[in-house]
Amino acid sequence: MGDFERSHSCDAISANLIDHEVVLAGWVQRRRDHGGVIFVDLRDRTGVIQVVFRPDASSKAHARAGALRSEFVLAVRGVIKHRSEETINLDIPNGDIEVVAADLALLNTASPPPFAIEDDPGVDESVRLQHRIHDLRRGPLQKNLSLRHRLTKAIRDTLCENEFTEIETPILTKSTPEGARDFLVPARQQPGEFYALPQSPQLMKQLLMIAGFERYFQIARCFRDEDQRADRQLEFTQVDLEMSFVKVENILKLLEEITWKGCLEAKGVELQRPFPRISYQDSMDRFGNDRPDTRIQLELTDLTEVFSKSDFRAFRGAVEAGGIVKCLPIHNADEISRGEIDRLEGFVKKELNARGLGWIRVAADGSWQSPIVKFLSENDKENISRITSASPGSLLIFQADTNARVNSILSRLRVDLGRRLRRVEPRDWDPLFVLDFPLFEEDEDQKLTYMHMPFVAPVEEDISLLETDPKAVRATHYDVVLNGYELGSGSLRNHRGDLQRKILGLLGYETEEMEQKFGFFLRSLETGAPPHGGFAFGLDRFAMVLAGTDNLRDVIAFPKTQRGQDLLLEAPSEIPFTLLDDLAIRVAKRKRN
RNA sequence: GGGGCGGUAGUUCAAUUGGUUAGAGCACUGGCCUGUCACGCCAGAAGUUGCGGGUUCGAAUCCCGUCCGCCCCGCCA
């Protein structure tokens, strides 16, 4: 920096400092060389301000400024001046003032940037990822990562105020039999054996409760080797927390405080409290998923009953096969053209594995236009009308299939069409708790499986149902949902070994397998485990929702591509044979190039 | 694993559908310019058309394979 000592950031320069000498440092956002006078927009992390180099102010600085190029790094000593009336630029902040340069230090040159460092660089995302350094210089990413920092801090502060202890857990850990595919790390000293990276610190935090810490949290990196999505990365960050001697209500109160504080501190948003609550069943019935955006003013209706007695074979067949029939009614839907319905059908068939798309349009004269109306009796039509509140202008969209598929297809259409038709409440934020999840669900072979994970405790009054009707047993599980995104989930855990064994038994584990996979953990419970429960926020996703983007890569400094590569570091990469040899590893199949 | 869209100069796009030397804006380089703020004007450089193979007199264009980016399904909480 030589003799230059930065005195101000760009955003600190205002008309209050007229005639003050300042020293600024940053990057050349843009240079406008008029020969006699040179303008440089100087950018630092706080903003941009115009620096003017005039020969009459400093011929030396002016001469040096001629060599400046985009992204050169510099320090400038100068005096803040009002601009003359006719040169004021009202389109930019600080457009009424400028820095008249007295001295210039070139701190570094820069290769030409691959794209303009602007809010909208207009380039393909792969280019941005390859040149992530330049990408990160852009305003939106600087803002997003700063938001993420404030969010993390707000959460950490809130947990600290609530007497949580931050404890780290291992990154090199043990492969778990359940859940997602593990990332594996070869163990050099045990040839042929592998550590696994944690999918979450779930077991560890329960052990910490058993060990008596009572309140634990961790900003934990987690790893799941599954295919990615816009809102799913291979490695991601959880705000993981667990507490002892609590009921569900205690945890929900804390989660509400954390979520509320996070939104306030990171984004200046004051969420309405208390958060609305909705049961899993209610959510599935009305919205078709367990993370509804309730601002969207469309709701599903159930017509399983009607079609179970109907002569419409296609739909009745779905019901007889154990499925359901639901409808997404859209009233005043004249703007959806016939062609659009066909496109919707193509979309759900191709992208969502739908068998088809049933629809009925109620014309202005009350008549029904539909490919399926000829299969419907007057009685059917009356019932459909009543349940869906159909009236002239209504478009009814049907799905008849398995429960899971009907709901996933219609919930997707609900969101897509609700947004497209602007059937959205004008609130910006929609937080809620989803409660009363079932403890178990059936997999495709009608086998009982856990819904979230095998350690979730049942609701106390449902414990007797474990014997008689396990599918009806409610879990102590809860989700926090914001704007249709699941921010995280948690539950009370089984702290008694006998109950945990019973549940594992219902999940189909024989004694021997149970012992082999969970013996260590079951014995841990039997050392005096306190009642405990917790939660894990998906921090990346929380930041993403607050940043108003729909892509995690916008809130992660160095994200992976959909194929799991880091285009900047070019990871993963091949490893020399000698290294592999140390690890007792031989590669069976190499990617062809 | 599957489906869809895409890959041409640093970058964003074009190339009359198989036909001469693959063009343009921005960026870049050089020159001129004392009030711009997406400065302007003049000139210039810049290409393994993702990669490999094939068809053809001739391929950015057609065919096969492959790699890469994004979105989705499966998968994953």
Side-chain angles (χ1 to χ4, degrees):
Chain A
M1 293 288 290
D3 296 336
F4 289 76
E5 183 169 342
R6 192 190 226 180
S7 69
H8 293 76
S9 57
C10 286
D11 70 339
I13 303 302
S14 72
N16 300 332
L17 291 174
I18 296 296
D19 292 332
H20 282 66
E21 187 182 83
V22 298
V23 177
L24 302 177
W27 288 262
V28 174
Q29 175 70 17
R30 189 166 269 119
R31 177 190 63 124
R32 292 177 294 280
D33 186 346
H34 289 238
V37 60
I38 298 170
F39 301 96
V40 168
D41 294 335
L42 178 70
R43 183 192 75 238
D44 67 13
R45 65 170 178 164
T46 67
V48 174
I49 187 145
Q50 172 165 292
V51 181
V52 56
F53 293 91
R54 280 202 307 251
D56 55 326
S58 166
S59 59
K60 202 172 77 179
H62 175 265
R64 283 185 189 165
L68 293 177
R69 295 292 183 271
S70 291
E71 298 307 305
F72 277 26
V73 189
L74 50 93
V76 176
R77 188 190 320 278
V79 178
I80 311 300
K81 291 288 184 189
H82 265 301
R83 298 195 193 179
S84 65
E85 243 359 277
E86 63 280 8
T87 61
I88 288 176
N89 186 347
L90 294 174
D91 298 333
I92 55 173
N94 283 337
D96 56 336
I97 55 176
E98 63 193 2
V99 179
V100 179
D103 199 2
L104 165 67
L106 178 61
L107 302 176
N108 207 348
T109 59
S111 50
F115 50 83
I117 311 302
E118 289 168 351
D119 285 3
D120 179 10
V123 294
D124 193 78
E125 194 172 5
S126 63
V127 176
R128 289 176 40 207
L129 290 173
Q130 274 164 41
H131 304 279
R132 191 60 167 177
I133 298 163
H134 291 97
D135 199 25
L136 286 167
R137 286 180 184 165
R138 294 167 47 243
L141 279 174
Q142 294 258 331
K143 278 200 200 81
N144 289 353
L145 291 176
S146 149
L147 179 153
R148 180 176 173 141
H149 158 73
R150 291 193 304 276
L151 176 63
T152 310
K153 180 172 187 305
I155 294 174
R156 179 178 265 127
D157 288 349
T158 308
L159 287 163
C160 293
E161 282 159 21
N162 282 278
E163 291 170 22
F164 280 74
T165 306
E166 186 167 8
I167 302 175
E168 292 176 86
T169 54
I171 293 293
L172 295 177
T173 177
K174 187 179 162 66
S175 181
T176 49
E178 312 299 328
R181 194 176 295 118
D182 284 316
F183 276 100
L184 300 176
V185 178
R188 181 180 50 84
Q189 301 185 88
Q190 281 77 29
E193 297 186 5
F194 295 83
Y195 302 99
L197 305 183
Q199 296 182 20
S200 80
Q202 180 63 36
L203 268 182
M204 287 295 167
K205 69 174 171 179
Q206 291 195 239
L207 297 181
L208 288 169
M209 290 304 101
I210 300 171
F213 286 93
E214 300 198 14
R215 294 188 170 206
Y216 140 94
F217 84 99
Q218 181 180 195
I219 315 282
R221 196 61 69 81
C222 305
F223 308 85
R224 291 176 191 165
D225 187 7
E226 298 292 347
D227 288 356
Q228 312 204 73
R229 287 287 186 283
D231 63 350
R232 265 168 32 197
Q233 283 266 313
L234 295 181
E235 59 179 311
F236 59 100
T237 305
Q238 281 188 350
V239 178
D240 192 46
L241 62 97
E242 195 80 1
M243 48 205 308
S244 295
F245 306 114
V246 288
K247 302 181 181 200
V248 169
E249 279 307 320
N250 304 114
I251 300 176
L252 295 185
K253 183 164 169 272
L254 174 77
L255 297 179
E256 189 168 295
E257 187 185 346
I258 292 172
T259 308
W260 189 85
K261 272 266 191 55
C263 291
L264 183 67
E265 302 286 326
K267 184 80 177 177
V269 167
E270 206 166 330
L271 298 180
Q272 286 257 325
R273 281 196 284 188
F275 295 172
R277 298 178 178 203
I278 185 170
S279 74
Y280 170 82
Q281 194 56 54
D282 199 16
S283 183
M284 293 305 291
D285 288 348
R286 292 166 57 198
F287 309 114
N289 67 26
D290 59 1
R291 45 172 182 84
D293 183 335
T294 65
R295 294 171 302 177
I296 296 170
Q297 299 295 285
L298 299 175
E299 294 197 14
L300 312 184
T301 56
D302 193 310
L303 294 162
T304 308
E305 184 72 21
V306 172
F307 284 102
S308 68
K309 296 176 198 137
S310 158
D311 290 332
F312 182 22
R313 285 248 212 83
F315 280 18
R316 198 184 67 204
V319 177
E320 282 164 356
I324 59 171
V325 182
K326 281 174 90 169
C327 171
L328 174 66
I330 303 170
H331 305 302
N332 307 309
D334 289 339
E335 63 185 288
I336 302 180
S337 67
R338 175 62 208 270
E340 210 145 341
I341 296 174
D342 289 342
R343 274 196 294 281
L344 276 181
E345 173 157 23
F347 168 75
V348 297
K349 280 165 86 168
K350 203 156 59 175
E351 298 225 1
L352 307 178
N353 295 333
R355 292 186 190 166
L357 184 82
W359 59 271
I360 294 169
R361 160 163 272 163
V362 185
D365 62 6
S367 66
W368 284 22
Q369 298 161 355
S370 161
I372 64 174
V373 71
K374 56 179 174 284
F375 303 110
L376 304 176
S377 68
E378 280 310 308
N379 193 32
D380 291 342
K381 289 168 72 175
E382 249 170 59
N383 285 328
I384 294 169
S385 245
R386 177 173 46 78
I387 293 170
T388 64
S389 310
S391 62
S394 294
L395 173 66
L396 310 178
I397 294 173
F398 297 88
Q399 281 295 309
D401 207 318
T402 61
N403 193 320
R405 212 178 307 180
V406 165
N407 280 319
S408 97
I409 292 162
L410 288 181
S411 67
R412 174 71 178 267
L413 290 182
R414 168 180 175 268
V415 173
D416 286 0
L417 292 173
R419 290 206 181 123
R420 179 144 33 115
L421 302 173
R422 301 220 175 75
R423 306 290 168 89
V424 184
E425 274 184 52
R427 296 177 283 130
D428 284 336
W429 304 100
D430 187 48
L432 65 140
F433 286 120
V434 183
L435 302 168
D436 291 333
F437 286 80
L439 188 61
F440 303 110
E441 60 185 348
E442 277 181 348
D443 64 14
E444 52 283 5
D445 314 322
Q446 269 86 56
K447 220 187 108 221
L448 215 55
T449 174
Y450 55 84
M451 191 152 190
H452 292 95
M453 51 140 189
F455 311 130
V456 176
V459 170
E460 248 175 67
E461 65 228 55
D462 288 1
I463 288 179
S464 59
L465 291 173
L466 284 172
E467 310 283 357
T468 54
D469 187 6
K471 273 196 288 172
V473 174
R474 286 169 300 164
T476 53
H477 186 96
Y478 34 82
D479 278 2
V480 174
V481 174
L482 183 60
N483 293 5
Y485 285 95
E486 184 201 305
L487 293 189
S489 60
S491 64
L492 300 185
R493 331 295 186 186
N494 296 306
H495 71 285
R496 277 183 11 226
D498 56 345
L499 186 59
Q500 182 66 71
R501 281 177 204 278
K502 174 174 279 179
I503 287 167
L504 288 171
L506 285 167
L507 290 170
Y509 289 99
E510 304 294 338
T511 318
E512 194 178 325
E513 190 188 7
M514 200 187 297
E515 187 54 36
Q516 188 206 329
K517 286 185 172 167
F518 300 104
F520 153 75
F521 180 65
L522 290 167
R523 283 192 297 280
S524 300
L525 291 178
E526 285 151 5
T527 64
H532 62 284
F535 195 80
F537 280 97
L539 181 65
D540 315 81
R541 209 176 274 176
F542 199 164
M544 175 184 91
V545 175
L546 281 184
T549 165
D550 54 11
N551 200 308
L552 284 182
R553 293 184 296 272
D554 293 336
V555 295
I556 296 174
F558 302 105
K560 305 268 188 288
T561 69
Q562 191 159 48
R563 280 184 165 79
Q565 295 179 312
D566 182 323
L567 297 184
L568 181 70
L569 303 179
E570 298 184 310
S573 57
E574 287 189 4
I575 293 296
F577 283 110
T578 52
L579 268 178
L580 291 178
D581 208 43
D582 279 352
L583 299 169
I585 287 180
R586 190 170 302 140
V587 176
K589 213 163 44 175
R590 273 192 194 273
K591 187 173 72 176
R592 276 179 291 167
N593 281 317

